[in-house]
Every structure is written in structure tokens, then in C-alpha cells.
Amino acid sequence: MKSLVEHIAKALVDEPDEVRVTEQQEGDTLCITLSVHPNDVGKVIGKQGRTAKAMRSLVYAAAVPEHKRVRLDIVD
């Protein structure tokens, strides 16, 4: 999951070296935190949150075969 989110985010931003992805297990949920350069937050979120929603959909779909719950948080 971490590599999937990192790969997508690096393709979207102007500062790919500033992309940081961390995973943390909280109970039965895998929490993925995506951190990007402050100037790139808008690119990762997209207009009306469409890009963020699409990223979350991909992560949720990737988690289904593993029977996991996933939460994706985007921070600057």
C-alpha cells in the first residue's frame, strides 16, 4: 500500500523528493499518511477533492484482496 500511494503522489507533484508516506496499524485499520510539500497539496487533493477521492478508491480497492481496512490521510 505504501509504495502504491508513494508512486501515485510522486507522479502528481512538482517536488517528488518531498513526498513522505508512513503506515501505522491502528487496531484493525491500516492508517496511511501522505505528506507533500505545501505547494503541492492542491495537486494531490485536486479540484473539489477528486484526485484525493480517486487515490482513496485505489487504495481501498487494493486492500480488498488482503481483507484489510485502510484510511488515507493527506497532510502538508
Side-chain angles (χ1 to χ4, degrees):
M1 297 291 170
K2 181 178 177 179
S3 61
L4 174 66
V5 172
E6 188 173 356
H7 182 74
I8 294 169
K10 284 185 176 184
L12 293 172
V13 299
D14 290 333
E15 301 285 338
D17 296 334
E18 297 288 323
V19 173
R20 303 284 181 259
V21 180
T22 58
E23 288 182 332
Q24 182 178 0
Q25 191 71 34
E26 292 181 6
D28 62 343
T29 303
L30 177 64
C31 298
I32 300 172
T33 304
L34 170 62
S35 176
V36 296
H37 190 274
N39 294 338
D40 292 328
V41 173
K43 292 179 178 137
V44 173
I45 294 173
K47 289 185 180 180
Q48 298 181 351
R50 289 184 183 146
T51 305
K53 185 175 179 180
M55 285 179 62
R56 287 187 175 109
S57 295
L58 287 171
V59 171
Y60 298 158
V64 168
E66 299 177 17
H67 303 289
K68 291 184 179 180
R69 299 180 94 187
V70 180
R71 187 178 80 210
L72 175 63
D73 297 326
I74 300 170
V75 296
D76 59 351

